[in-house]
Every structure is written in structure tokens, then in C-alpha cells.
Amino acid sequence: MPIEEQHQWVDCYLVRRTAYAANADPNYITLLDRGVSRAHPLIQPALAAPDRHAAEAGWDVNDAVGHGTQLAGLALFSANFGAKRQRMQEACVRAS
């Protein structure tokens, strides 16, 4: 997906879903990587800052490389991504 299309998709998605409902019994995913950036607009609503941990107390939980953030995005959005992408594109076209 070209970068321009990525930005359009993210903007359109955020208009439709910017918060996740509170859940008394949430699911958790463990990623063993260099960290996850909460600066990404699709990850920030789903990942609370206190939910990031490091194996060693002195390690940073922020992603300086990008890989952990990419993995988090896959974990959040990969299930049926093709179908979701098609529905979002159709919704964004209708909204514009």
C-alpha cells in the first residue's frame, strides 16, 4: 500500500473508531521485541502506557527501530485485513 493510501486509510479509520470499549476480561498479546511506540495513531488507543513492560528495569519500552510497532499493528489489525481494508475503503469513499 503506498504511503499516501496508508495515511488516508488511517485518517478514515480513526474517524470511525478512536476508542476501544472497556473490558473487564481483556485479551493480552505479548510481543518480545525492542518496544512499541504509542505515537502511532492506530496503536495509541489500544495500548495504555502502563501496559508496556521491559524484561530489564533499565530497558526502554519505546520502539526506536520500528519493528515492535509494526508487530503490534499486525497483532491488532491483521485478522481478515483484506476484507477490513475493502470495507474501510468503501466507507471512506462514501464519506468523501
Side-chain angles (χ1 to χ4, degrees):
M1 178 185 307
I3 192 73
E4 297 81 16
E5 187 178 346
Q6 291 177 32
H7 289 292
Q8 291 170 352
W9 193 89
V10 167
D11 292 344
C12 186
Y13 187 83
L14 287 173
V15 168
R16 285 157 179 70
R17 181 173 189 154
T18 57
Y20 292 85
N23 186 340
D25 187 23
N27 294 314
Y28 292 93
I29 297 172
T30 300
L31 299 174
L32 299 176
D33 211 293
R34 296 180 179 188
V36 176
S37 174
R38 290 188 70 246
H40 193 288
L42 293 178
I43 293 175
Q44 189 276 328
L47 178 63
D51 287 338
R52 297 183 301 165
H53 306 280
E56 296 286 334
W59 292 357
D60 193 0
V61 295
N62 293 304
D63 186 3
V65 178
H67 188 262
T69 304
Q70 292 169 347
L71 286 177
L74 285 172
L76 281 169
F77 296 101
S78 66
N80 300 315
F81 180 74
K84 287 180 184 177
R85 179 179 175 200
Q86 182 64 35
R87 286 193 304 271
M88 283 304 302
Q89 286 175 329
E90 292 167 1
C92 289
V93 167
R94 285 193 303 269
S96 38

